[in-house]
Amino acid sequence: MNAKALFLSLLLLPVAALAQAPVIQISGANFRPLPLAATAPLVQGEEAKASAQEVDEAFMYDLRASGIFQVLDRGSFLADPKEGMAAGSINFSRWADVGAESLVKYSLAQEGGELKAEARVFNVGTGREDFKTSQSAPAAESRQVAHKLADAIYRHFTREPSPFLSRITYVRKTGNNRDIWMADWDGRNAKQVTRGGINLLPSLGPDGAVGYTSYQQGEPELYIRRPAGNTARIKTSEGQMATGISFSPDGKRIAYSLASGESTQIWVAEADGDKPKQLTDTRFGINTSPSWSPDGKRIAFVSNRGGSPQVYVMNADGSGVRRLTFQGNYNQTPDWSPRGDLIAFTARDERNAFDLFTVHVDSGKVTRLTQDQANNEEPSFSPNGRLILFTSTRNGGSQLFVMTADGNNQVALPGQEKSTLLTPDWGR
Amino acid sequence: MCLGMTLNRSLLSVVLVLGLSGCAAKSLTTQPTPTPSGPPVASTPSTTTANNGRDGHSNADEASEALEAAPVYFSLDSATLATEDQDRLERLAQALRQRPGVRLTVSGHTCELGTTEYNLALGHRRAGIVRSYLVRLGVEPQRIAVVSYGEERPANEGAVEKNRRAEFSFRLSEQAQVGAR
């Protein structure tokens, strides 16, 4: 670096420091989705053209479902569709006229087996390019390019990792079969894990392993499918019914429910089932649905010890049990936010309608997330805690949706019109 | 669980005479149970006699009726036995005490008005309470297995109250099967 460049970079230092602060403060009281225009990709060459539609679907879904943007309808755009990607060639007043505060333009090209994309983010008010990113992926995994681009843009605006590169698991119901599937966060690239029979309550571990409950030996037992493809049965006590495996955040321990006699209790063990330890002990009650706190020190769960199923928290050794929910008589499926502050849960009301809520772990403050949209169940937080994946019957059958952690921007995952999908879990 | 796969013909006859179904509990509860006198029971006098001799039980009709256990139904979220079901379980326990070769599985079920995971536990609790009741009435605990299907195997998709249930499926113990051959 020569002296002039050093001088210039010192001059720019305060600006660079400022740029580290998030453009969009998601947690802030003044949060509002940023009005953003994203143009169709500028496609270079015939090969890239073949992937363009798929890439654009994934890219636009990511931006829309992220909850941080108000993505403007392309049909309303006034700018010349052939407008280029350089700031000098863009007529920013046209973008201001349609209400855009940010403008995203991107291009696609294919070189050999590699799909390459470049995106630029412009501030419509200042007419300046704020951010630029280049991403690539094998052409056979074209959607990955979109998710990587959208992730870079999300990080630019929030200084946080996006959920766009994460994976989900869920149960797909077909006739009498319940099968475990894994998919990208948008439900695409779905892979079937089990083949027929009753397989329930899947849970993703931090290493990509999926744990689930299966009746493949006649009675429900716990299984773990490792990323390499091998499946192991977790040994639990003979004659007891083990269900609902849940991995600790570091992946080293599991929590699950064990039913015997007239009661169901929560147990923890090492990831392979060794050293099992019983955490709850209510002689006749039901204790189930364990969910780990992000530091692995506490577990949220459901217990009917007070007469109806309610959400409780306890320390990971079973001590310090505290009831968290008090409204209604059916509060279920707690999921502890990776940010630590909230637990999302399913509540059934007196009309037998199911809706989603969060409860603040420290204050006990309850916030409603869904209302009057048929049944909404089984919340699962995104790895960054900003979004919640859940099931809803608002379109008929049980489908997967995402929304923000405060219940806004409820969006169906694409391409699931004829499926019945249940009990999703979002990989952390 | 499905005994029918491995049963030889004469044993099958015994099972039918008893009014037992080794196969899915569904068939036991949704189809009329064959009676010893009515067709199409593929029984022969010799197997009936052999059975009566083994169990020391002369009234096959009565046993059939007692073991033809319809499901026990529960109210929403509940695992409490109704009074009439307690009476019914007493008759079942008596029949089981008289037939030590018969084993049973109690499967617990719920309606869909609940979450998958809690319903598995609730179904287990329903089956567990039925089992405990039979054990208190003198049926050996090792003869009664329990399994929960939660909301995954509804009896009737259209009628939630028909799905909150505990079902029975009966089979002959290994010993009894050897005896029948």
Side-chain angles (χ1 to χ4, degrees):
Chain A
M1 193 182 282
N2 61 35
K4 192 178 171 188
L6 182 66
F7 175 67
L8 268 176
S9 67
L10 283 174
L11 262 185
L12 289 170
L13 205 58
V15 179
L18 262 183
Q20 292 309 306
V23 182
I24 300 176
Q25 193 95 45
I26 305 175
S27 297
N30 296 322
F31 168 76
R32 67 178 178 105
L34 181 77
L36 175 140
T39 58
L42 299 162
V43 184
Q44 294 151 18
E46 285 302 311
E47 282 180 304
K49 215 174 196 170
S51 315
Q53 196 182 339
E54 181 113 45
V55 171
D56 197 44
E57 185 215 70
F59 184 64
M60 293 303 284
Y61 176 81
D62 287 1
L63 296 181
R64 281 197 193 99
S66 70
I68 63 168
F69 302 117
Q70 177 204 340
V71 180
L72 302 174
D73 178 11
R74 280 179 183 162
S76 72
F77 291 175
L78 300 172
D80 180 355
K82 295 197 178 96
E83 192 180 73
M85 283 184 60
S89 69
I90 296 172
N91 185 344
F92 284 101
S93 66
R94 291 268 169 88
W95 293 106
D97 286 346
V98 297
E101 293 181 23
S102 265
L103 170 64
V104 172
K105 296 204 158 203
Y106 76 109
S107 65
L108 274 181
Q110 191 166 327
E111 283 176 28
E114 201 77 353
L115 195 61
K116 298 189 168 193
E118 183 190 306
R120 297 183 187 195
V121 177
F122 303 93
N123 182 319
V124 172
T126 64
R128 277 211 298 260
E129 181 183 303
D130 278 350
F131 178 68
K132 181 162 85 173
T133 181
S134 296
Q135 303 291 338
S136 65
E141 299 163 25
S142 57
R143 300 180 70 88
Q144 280 305 108
V145 173
H147 294 317
K148 287 178 174 177
L149 270 192
D151 177 65
I153 291 168
Y154 188 98
R155 286 170 187 266
H156 161 69
F157 280 107
T158 65
R159 312 290 175 215
E160 286 179 21
S162 79
F164 310 146
L165 299 168
S166 57
R167 299 272 289 166
I168 61 171
T169 182
Y170 51 84
V171 166
R172 182 173 185 160
K173 179 180 167 183
T174 46
N176 267 339
N177 290 331
R178 314 276 187 273
D179 278 307
I180 311 295
W181 287 70
M182 291 173 74
D184 290 348
W185 94 289
D186 57 3
R188 301 291 197 186
N189 193 23
K191 303 266 194 305
Q192 189 169 352
V193 175
T194 61
R195 303 276 162 187
I198 305 179
N199 307 280
L200 303 168
L201 302 168
S203 168
L204 279 170
D207 59 352
V210 58
Y212 55 94
T213 304
S214 176
Y215 285 66
Q216 67 188 65
Q217 302 290 335
E219 292 180 6
E221 293 181 287
L222 304 177
Y223 294 82
I224 297 178
R225 166 78 59 94
R226 298 286 171 198
N230 52 318
T231 302
R233 183 173 69 85
I234 302 300
K235 288 184 203 71
T236 49
S237 305
E238 195 73 25
Q240 303 192 328
M241 181 182 85
T243 57
I245 192 169
S246 169
F247 294 94
S248 68
D250 64 7
K252 291 179 179 160
R253 285 178 294 164
I254 53 173
Y256 52 94
S257 307
L258 208 56
S260 87
E262 297 172 19
S263 81
T264 298
Q265 306 296 345
I266 291 172
W267 290 64
V268 290
E270 294 182 354
D272 56 4
D274 275 358
K275 298 186 184 161
K277 181 177 185 296
Q278 183 176 343
L279 294 192
T280 58
D281 188 10
T282 56
R283 197 162 162 218
F284 296 111
I286 293 174
N287 301 276
T288 189
S289 296
S291 171
W292 297 81
S293 66
D295 62 6
K297 290 179 178 166
R298 288 189 285 173
I299 291 174
F301 65 104
V302 168
S303 177
N304 71 348
R305 65 187 67 191
S308 64
Q310 300 289 343
V311 176
Y312 291 73
V313 292
M314 63 182 164
N315 295 323
D317 63 359
S319 68
V321 175
R322 181 163 66 93
R323 181 168 166 178
L324 263 191
T325 59
F326 293 90
Q327 296 168 0
N329 63 6
Y330 199 88
N331 295 314
Q332 294 276 8
T333 69
D335 189 61
W336 206 312
S337 164
R339 304 182 69 77
D341 52 345
L342 299 175
I343 290 171
F345 63 96
T346 307
R348 191 185 72 201
D349 68 14
E350 63 285 349
R351 302 165 301 155
N352 288 329
F354 292 80
D355 275 303
L356 300 177
F357 296 79
T358 53
V359 56
H360 194 276
V361 179
D362 294 329
S363 73
K365 186 187 171 223
V366 171
T367 304
R368 176 185 275 273
L369 306 182
T370 63
Q371 188 160 26
D372 297 332
Q373 295 260 41
N375 289 326
N376 304 279
E377 299 183 50
E378 305 283 349
S380 181
F381 277 99
S382 62
N384 68 357
R386 300 303 190 182
L387 297 177
I388 294 174
L389 175 68
F390 63 103
T391 63
S392 179
T393 57
R394 67 189 65 179
N395 293 340
S398 179
Q399 296 183 349
L400 301 183
F401 281 68
V402 290
M403 63 182 165
T404 62
D406 57 5
N408 284 313
N409 199 49
Q410 302 184 7
V411 177
L413 272 59
Q416 50 171 349
E417 286 72 19
K418 287 179 181 153
S419 307
T420 302
L421 308 181
L422 304 163
T423 62
D425 184 58
W426 206 327
R428 303 274 156 82
Chain B
M1 288 256 284
C2 190
L3 198 70
M5 300 295 192
T6 52
L7 277 179
N8 64 38
R9 193 172 178 83
S10 70
L11 181 58
L12 182 63
S13 306
V14 172
V15 170
L16 289 172
V17 165
L18 279 167
L20 301 182
S21 167
C23 275
K26 184 166 259 176
S27 65
L28 188 72
T29 55
T30 56
Q31 294 166 6
T33 307
T35 58
S37 54
V41 176
S43 75
T44 63
S46 65
T47 54
T48 305
T49 308
N51 170 59
N52 285 346
R54 193 179 72 251
D55 285 355
H57 194 279
S58 55
N59 196 332
D61 275 313
E62 191 186 299
S64 163
E65 205 164 276
L67 286 169
E68 188 200 320
V72 173
Y73 294 103
F74 298 86
S75 52
L76 181 63
D77 300 337
S78 168
T80 306
L81 290 172
T83 314
E84 62 266 30
D85 288 322
Q86 294 179 9
D87 297 343
R88 224 151 49 73
L89 289 177
E90 274 165 37
R91 290 198 296 277
L92 176 60
Q94 189 181 7
L96 288 167
R97 285 197 307 268
Q98 289 165 351
R99 316 195 148 269
V102 175
R103 290 173 175 254
L104 73 155
T105 298
V106 185
S107 59
H109 301 260
T110 70
C111 68
E112 60 178 33
L113 295 175
T115 57
T116 300
E117 192 162 11
Y118 191 79
N119 276 343
L120 284 173
L122 179 59
H124 193 278
R125 182 159 160 76
R126 285 173 175 168
I129 278 173
V130 168
R131 180 180 184 273
S132 295
Y133 200 77
L134 293 172
V135 169
R136 274 207 296 280
L137 294 170
V139 183
E140 296 83 350
Q142 63 273 18
R143 290 170 63 192
I144 313 173
V146 158
V147 66
S148 173
Y149 290 97
E151 63 181 88
E152 311 304 328
R153 289 288 180 263
N156 184 334
E157 298 266 10
V160 285
E161 67 277 4
K162 291 287 177 206
N163 297 330
R164 303 171 193 139
R165 69 203 192 278
E167 288 184 353
F168 302 92
S169 61
F170 302 96
R171 65 194 184 284
L172 294 179
S173 67
E174 297 289 322
Q175 269 181 322
Q177 285 181 49
V178 170
R181 275 180 198 127

